[in-house]
Amino acid sequence: MIRKTEVEETLKRIQSHKGVIGTMVVNAEGIPIRTTLDNSTTVQYAGLLHQLTIKAKSTIRDIDPQNDLTFLRIRSKKHEIMVAPDKEYLLIVIQNPCE
Amino acid sequence: MGRGARKRDEDSGTEVGEGADEWTQSKATVRPPDQLDLTDAELKEEFTRILTANNPHAPQNIVRYSFKEGTYKPIGFVNQLAVHFSQVGNLIPKDSDEGRRQHYRDEMVAGPQESARVVLSDAGNLDEDEEPKEPAIEAESQIDMAIAEVAEKVAEEELMTHKQPKDRKLTNQFNFSDRASQTLNHPLRDRECQMEPPPRTNFSATANQWEIYDAYVEELKKQEKIKEKEKTKTPVAKKTGKLAMRKLTSMESQSDDITKVSQAAKIVERMVNQNTYDDVAQDFKYYEDAADEYRDQEGTLLPLWKFQNDKAKRLAVTALCWNSKYNDLFAVGHGSYDFMKQSRGMLLLYSLKNPSFPEYIFSSDSGIMCLDIHVDHPYLVVVGHYDGNVAVYNLKKPHSQPSFRSSAKSGKHTDPVWQVKWQKDDMDHNLNFFSVSSDGRIVSWTLVKSELVHTDVIKLKVEGSTTEVSEGLELHTVGCGTAFDFHKEIDYMFLVGTEEGKIYKVKQHRPHQLLIGPLGPEHLGSLKYLTNPVLTDLSAHQFCKASWCSKSYSSQFLDTYDAHNMAVDAVTWNPYHTKVFMSCSSDWTVKIWDHTIKTPMFIYDLNSAVGDVSWAPYSSTVFAAVTTDGKAHVFDLAINKYEAICNQPVVAKKKNKITHVQFNPIYPIIIVGDDRGHITCLKLSPNLRKMPKEKKGQEVQKGPAVEITKLDKLLNLVREVKTKT
């Protein structure tokens, strides 16, 4: 059983890690539960990434139902978006990888 | 007939002209003014009157255009038929279908008499029909009239007859009257009631391959659960189960949903770290120092990650151990070597995938001096403390407290525990481990159910130090063990290093069984424990007699090596060669021994107190040593017997003393711990990992045998040298 504080600490650490711009937790319907960014950005990210994650997961599982999506990484010119899906939630982190 | 004649006359009377002759003869002749004046001759002229069937009204000079000849041609024959009267009758032959049907119907409705009369009237019609057929066509019109008259007659007859039978009720034209009455019509009413419509929701889903698969998997699980429930059926259990379920659900609703993100959070943390330390990760995987080609035989250590934790900042790294199952996981024990400053201890487990934060954190009151991870159960970690206690942590359980802990009652050491090591399970499949401490005892601990049971294996005695005290007691000075290592193959033989600098080779006695009677050769296979400790080769003896029972645990010192001038810090057997072991000490030396020979094979002086030595897992001739001046030395005996092939300061500040070093079993990296609580991970350059060069045409042999022979060759060289000198 993982305690609440441990998870909170992990999220705090991620947020304070070098280069991380923002983190957010989105539920199964695409509604953000927890975020460190402003509302409009959060809602936008949540909606778009939620759909993309569903599509990616569906792709992987269609090919082999015993397989499953572990995480999704989108690297763009400006930063990198990392999405880790869970059974009910989606954890999104936007980081600026220092190169 | 008479009528017919009359009619004929009347017809002929319509002819103009000649009929006037008879009228003028019978009456006084009155000459009309427009009468023809005819001579007597003309008057007496006889005119023949022929009665023909020709129709006087029919045209006689019809011409038709003939397409064949292209002219108008008169038609020879002109239709002479003149219709005087026609009436459409409704007579049908008796034998036709319709006739038969009507006949049948009438029979059903009326009695048989009616049918007879109807037949008669029909017959009458027929008779009339037959006769007029004979005369010529000009009488047709008369026939029509006749038939019509007959039909009327028949109809009258029929009417007359209908009145006569009394058993048939008919509506009387004259007496029939209709009576109608209006019933009361109830007024119509509409009763309506409206209900609330059932709640509706929209449901949409896709049926993908994987959704179908998931549904099947769930079904399977459900069925399995049902089967399990059926197997373990007790009403009490069900009740408690329900209660527990209720508690769980209430707790779940209370607790924040964040806990479910834990797995995802872990993954993301690793990803974030990977991004930050991207270059390091790339180096770890792919970088091979190309400059090694130009350096003769020397190699370098490339620094990769650095692990440190705030909580363990001021604590020295006292122990390092890689996990056997997860090759990126290693355990670090923190404590203090300082006798005066003793504080708490920490056990941290790091993963290479997340250099910024440990995976597991355990803290304890007393400094941790040593640790070991079980090979078969990689979630069991045993630690030895500075206060003499030992504890076993179970990584699968989330408690920060150890699952097993020794205490003063259960036989803990009275001095710091310097080394712990897991051993194979005992006869009852209980886990057990050994610990060595400065109090001179080597203790074997067994995990029985939920307790630690200890058994003293041996007490280290300093030889030649027995002093006789009064009453014949022998007082032995207890030696202090600082390091030990079990033989790779013979698991009851081990080496112990002491503070005095001596290394003892010990063979351990195991508990004996009660045996009665002589043993025959058939018993040899089942005897696990030796009856005579000196015998190493059972097969050499066909039988042995055993007739004692003894519960004493007594181990025997096999050998003593005068290894060092100061305390022995580490002792390790070679992973390939079963005869070779290595020791290091604070007297600045590292020595390599053959356990059959009392003097070391190789001696290396490293100019500083050596904290730890470790053999490489991939080669029998490579090992690493770390010193307190912050340097790491890597030796490869196959390349250079006298010097290190790598001699590199690893830690930044010179005051930082390195305390331990460990090779990773799979990857070409080593971890180095220092006394500031930092752990540095270094990659070995290719020169340090050299495999013997294959000669052209020869196959490269791989496997432990090769390593053994390699080392053997070296040893033989050394031995030859020694025998010569």
Side-chain angles (χ1 to χ4, degrees):
Chain A
M1 198 186 65
I2 301 121
R3 286 173 302 181
K4 181 179 161 182
T5 48
E6 286 179 23
V7 182
E8 295 268 352
E9 270 177 44
T10 311
L11 289 172
K12 261 191 223 168
R13 264 184 279 129
I14 294 170
Q15 178 56 35
S16 55
H17 198 91
K18 191 173 162 195
V20 172
I21 299 168
T23 56
M24 62 188 92
V25 180
V26 176
N27 79 346
E29 283 144 34
I31 299 164
I33 292 171
R34 208 188 142 104
T35 174
T36 59
L37 298 166
D38 59 283
N39 195 28
S40 53
T41 321
T42 305
V43 166
Q44 197 176 19
Y45 267 105
L48 294 166
L49 286 169
H50 177 249
Q51 288 173 36
L52 185 63
T53 312
I54 287 177
K55 190 69 184 175
K57 189 169 187 176
S58 179
T59 310
I60 299 283
R61 296 210 74 200
D62 253 347
I63 294 167
D64 177 9
Q66 291 178 328
N67 206 354
D68 199 5
L69 182 68
T70 325
F71 60 81
L72 193 62
R73 257 186 153 152
I74 306 165
R75 208 161 209 183
S76 69
K77 273 190 212 166
K78 295 189 185 171
H79 43 244
E80 178 163 343
I81 303 167
M82 292 172 275
V83 181
D86 205 30
K87 274 182 210 167
E88 297 168 25
Y89 296 93
L90 210 63
L91 181 56
I92 301 168
V93 173
I94 306 154
Q95 188 189 20
N96 195 352
C98 322
E99 315 230 26
Chain B
M1 270 302 287
R3 279 205 201 119
R6 232 192 286 150
K7 276 202 178 160
R8 211 183 295 146
D9 285 341
E10 282 169 13
D11 275 352
S12 58
T14 58
E15 292 206 339
V16 178
E18 270 55 56
D21 282 342
E22 291 177 323
W23 287 102
T24 49
Q25 283 168 12
S26 61
K27 286 178 190 176
T29 56
V30 177
R31 223 164 168 208
D34 52 292
Q35 190 181 37
L36 282 169
D37 281 334
L38 293 169
T39 57
D40 284 331
E42 284 174 1
L43 281 170
K44 284 181 185 168
E45 197 178 338
E46 282 187 357
F47 286 93
T48 333
R49 320 253 4 248
I50 308 166
L51 218 69
T52 60
N54 293 336
N55 183 2
H57 296 292
Q60 285 157 346
N61 52 352
I62 292 177
V63 281
R64 283 241 156 83
Y65 184 77
S66 163
F67 284 94
K68 185 176 171 189
E69 287 157 38
T71 55
Y72 285 95
K73 283 187 95 182
I75 292 175
F77 176 75
V78 177
N79 197 4
Q80 301 295 324
L81 180 69
V83 177
H84 294 284
F85 175 80
S86 73
Q87 183 192 4
V88 177
N90 50 3
L91 291 171
I92 42 176
K94 193 170 77 168
D95 291 332
S96 73
D97 282 341
E98 185 59 37
R100 279 207 207 101
R101 254 185 262 140
Q102 282 190 5
H103 178 66
Y104 182 70
R105 210 190 305 143
D106 290 337
E107 265 189 0
M108 299 305 287
V109 171
Q113 292 169 349
E114 264 62 55
S115 60
R117 285 185 211 277
V118 171
V119 170
L120 274 171
S121 58
D122 277 348
N125 276 336
L126 277 171
D127 288 335
E128 300 295 324
D129 281 343
E130 280 173 64
E131 283 176 7
K133 278 180 191 174
E134 291 166 8
I137 300 167
E138 63 181 346
E140 272 187 11
S141 51
Q142 288 162 13
I143 296 165
D144 286 337
M145 288 296 286
I147 291 169
E149 281 179 9
V150 168
E152 279 175 89
K153 249 194 189 174
V154 171
E156 279 174 8
E157 284 175 10
E158 280 185 354
L159 267 174
M160 299 287 278
T161 52
H162 276 303
K163 285 179 191 172
Q164 284 169 21
K166 283 176 190 173
D167 53 39
R168 191 180 169 194
K169 248 192 186 174
L170 273 178
T171 49
N172 191 347
Q173 278 195 329
F174 310 101
N175 294 338
F176 182 75
S177 66
D178 246 336
R179 260 228 182 126
S181 68
Q182 178 111 18
T183 56
L184 187 64
N185 283 335
H186 295 289
L188 286 171
R189 264 202 196 131
D190 261 333
R191 264 266 153 84
E192 291 173 352
C193 79
Q194 183 147 21
M195 293 186 299
E196 259 183 48
R200 273 180 285 177
T201 52
N202 274 336
F203 174 77
S204 66
T206 45
N208 279 328
Q209 188 82 1
W210 52 273
E211 294 214 21
I212 298 167
Y213 175 83
D214 276 348
Y216 273 110
V217 167
E218 257 189 62
E219 259 305 307
L220 248 173
K221 277 186 190 168
K222 270 186 195 171
Q223 283 184 6
E224 276 172 18
K225 263 190 181 175
I226 292 167
K227 277 185 190 170
E228 277 182 32
K229 275 183 186 173
E230 281 174 13
K231 280 182 187 173
T232 60
K233 244 189 181 179
T234 47
V236 181
K238 272 188 188 172
K239 269 193 185 173
T240 51
K242 277 185 190 169
L243 279 171
M245 280 290 285
R246 274 186 226 145
K247 274 188 184 170
L248 264 174
T249 45
S250 66
M251 264 182 70
E252 275 173 17
S253 61
Q254 281 169 19
S255 71
D256 204 344
D257 297 316
I258 281 292
T259 48
K260 292 177 190 172
V261 197
S262 61
Q263 187 70 14
K266 259 195 173 169
I267 293 172
V268 171
E269 203 188 349
R270 287 185 180 186
M271 284 204 283
V272 162
N273 272 302
Q274 189 183 7
N275 275 339
T276 315
Y277 299 109
D278 182 44
D279 47 351
V280 175
Q282 298 283 339
D283 281 346
F284 159 70
K285 265 265 165 171
Y286 305 116
Y287 180 73
E288 305 286 0
D289 199 350
D292 265 12
E293 289 176 11
Y294 306 106
R295 284 185 216 119
D296 271 335
Q297 302 201 324
E298 288 174 355
T300 51
L301 296 167
L302 177 72
L304 295 172
W305 297 284
K306 227 183 186 185
F307 301 87
Q308 59 200 13
N309 190 295
D310 282 340
K311 290 183 190 171
K313 226 177 188 174
R314 264 164 263 131
L315 296 171
V317 171
T318 54
L320 290 172
C321 188
W322 286 98
N323 191 303
S324 49
K325 188 176 175 192
Y326 298 104
N327 294 312
D328 59 291
L329 189 67
F330 62 93
V332 183
H334 288 272
S336 174
Y337 284 119
D338 201 338
F339 178 71
M340 302 303 287
K341 295 181 199 170
Q342 273 300 320
S343 61
R344 59 198 173 82
M346 294 207 69
L347 171 66
L348 304 172
L349 281 108
Y350 282 95
S351 162
L352 294 178
K353 294 175 187 170
N354 186 353
S356 59
F357 201 76
E359 302 290 315
Y360 300 92
I361 305 177
F362 301 97
S363 61
S364 63
D365 299 326
S366 169
I368 292 175
M369 304 311 293
C370 54
L371 65 87
D372 193 26
I373 299 179
H374 201 287
V375 173
D376 297 325
H377 306 277
Y379 50 88
L380 288 174
V381 182
V382 63
V383 294
H385 292 283
Y386 198 88
D387 62 1
N389 272 318
V390 291
V392 178
Y393 287 89
N394 188 337
L395 296 177
K396 278 190 183 178
K397 290 178 190 169
H399 310 296
S400 60
Q401 292 305 308
S403 356
F404 296 91
R405 231 194 125 89
S406 71
S407 63
K409 281 185 275 175
S410 61
K412 73 173 186 72
H413 291 279
T414 50
D415 264 344
V417 179
W418 291 103
Q419 188 109 24
V420 281
K421 272 228 150 83
W422 283 105
Q423 270 296 65
K424 290 182 198 161
D425 293 357
D426 66 0
M427 288 285 275
D428 302 323
H429 300 285
N430 289 323
L431 303 158
N432 77 327
F433 62 91
F434 283 70
S435 65
V436 69
S437 159
S438 319
D439 66 356
R441 285 161 56 215
I442 298 177
V443 181
S444 155
W445 304 82
T446 316
L447 274 74
V448 178
K449 286 185 192 178
S450 59
E451 285 175 356
L452 274 177
V453 177
H454 84 286
T455 42
D456 275 12
V457 171
I458 192 168
K459 275 214 165 109
L460 300 168
K461 295 168 206 164
V462 178
E463 282 183 22
S465 65
T466 57
T467 54
E468 279 238 16
V469 185
S470 59
E471 291 161 18
L473 282 171
E474 284 189 352
L475 192 65
H476 301 274
T477 315
V478 173
C480 310
T482 51
F484 77 125
D485 193 15
F486 277 86
H487 196 268
K488 301 285 177 226
E489 281 163 22
I490 309 169
D491 60 320
Y492 49 81
M493 181 162 93
F494 55 89
L495 296 164
V496 186
T498 61
E499 248 182 54
E500 296 80 42
K502 297 212 168 116
I503 298 177
Y504 300 106
K505 189 164 67 173
V506 181
K507 245 183 189 155
Q508 182 207 353
H509 268 243
R510 291 281 178 89
H512 304 289
Q513 310 260 322
L514 179 65
L515 300 158
I516 299 170
L519 292 168
E522 67 272 14
H523 291 271
L524 281 173
S526 61
L527 260 184
K528 197 170 179 183
Y529 300 111
L530 296 171
T531 55
N532 189 331
V534 178
L535 287 175
T536 52
D537 194 4
L538 270 176
S539 59
H541 299 260
Q542 294 304 303
F543 62 88
C544 35
K545 284 189 183 175
S547 56
W548 72 82
C549 60
S550 162
K551 284 183 191 169
S552 65
Y553 300 81
S554 59
S555 307
Q556 192 181 19
F557 284 103
L558 286 177
D559 233 337
T560 312
Y561 307 90
D562 286 325
H564 293 272
N565 302 321
M566 288 181 71
V568 177
D569 281 332
V571 172
T572 53
W573 287 97
N574 188 302
Y576 293 98
H577 203 293
T578 51
K579 283 190 180 176
V580 175
F581 68 90
M582 173 166 63
S583 68
C584 76
S585 157
S586 320
D587 70 352
W588 296 11
T589 57
V590 172
K591 298 187 182 176
I592 298 177
W593 310 76
D594 180 335
H595 78 108
T596 50
I597 301 173
K598 287 248 174 174
T599 51
M601 308 264 83
F602 298 97
I603 304 174
Y604 299 99
D605 192 330
L606 297 176
N607 287 329
S608 175
V610 183
D612 197 9
V613 274
S614 176
W615 289 103
Y618 50 84
S619 167
S620 64
T621 52
V622 178
F623 64 92
V626 284
T627 57
T628 48
D629 63 355
K631 279 192 182 173
H633 308 258
V634 180
F635 291 81
D636 189 347
L637 299 172
I639 294 174
N640 190 335
K641 283 201 287 278
Y642 306 108
E643 277 181 347
I645 50 172
C646 173
N647 196 335
Q648 181 176 330
V650 168
V651 193
K653 296 179 189 170
K654 279 207 167 173
K655 284 188 183 175
N656 230 335
K657 302 176 201 167
I658 308 180
T659 50
H660 282 276
V661 68
Q662 280 286 320
F663 277 86
N664 184 303
I666 308 268
Y667 304 116
I669 53 174
I670 55 170
I671 40 169
V672 170
D674 63 25
D675 71 341
R676 289 279 169 96
H678 303 304
I679 300 115
T680 316
C681 180
L682 302 145
K683 185 163 181 180
L684 301 159
S685 68
N687 269 349
L688 304 172
R689 299 182 259 139
K690 265 195 182 162
M691 294 289 128
K693 279 184 187 169
E694 61 254 34
K695 294 179 187 169
K696 285 182 188 177
Q698 267 190 357
E699 273 184 28
V700 178
Q701 289 166 328
K702 296 209 171 153
V706 180
E707 305 290 336
I708 295 173
T709 46
K710 197 168 55 164
L711 194 56
D712 254 343
K713 276 186 207 168
L714 288 165
L715 293 173
N716 285 334
L717 283 171
V718 179
R719 272 187 225 129
E720 279 172 16
V721 169
K722 290 222 161 168
T723 51
K724 278 178 192 172
T725 55

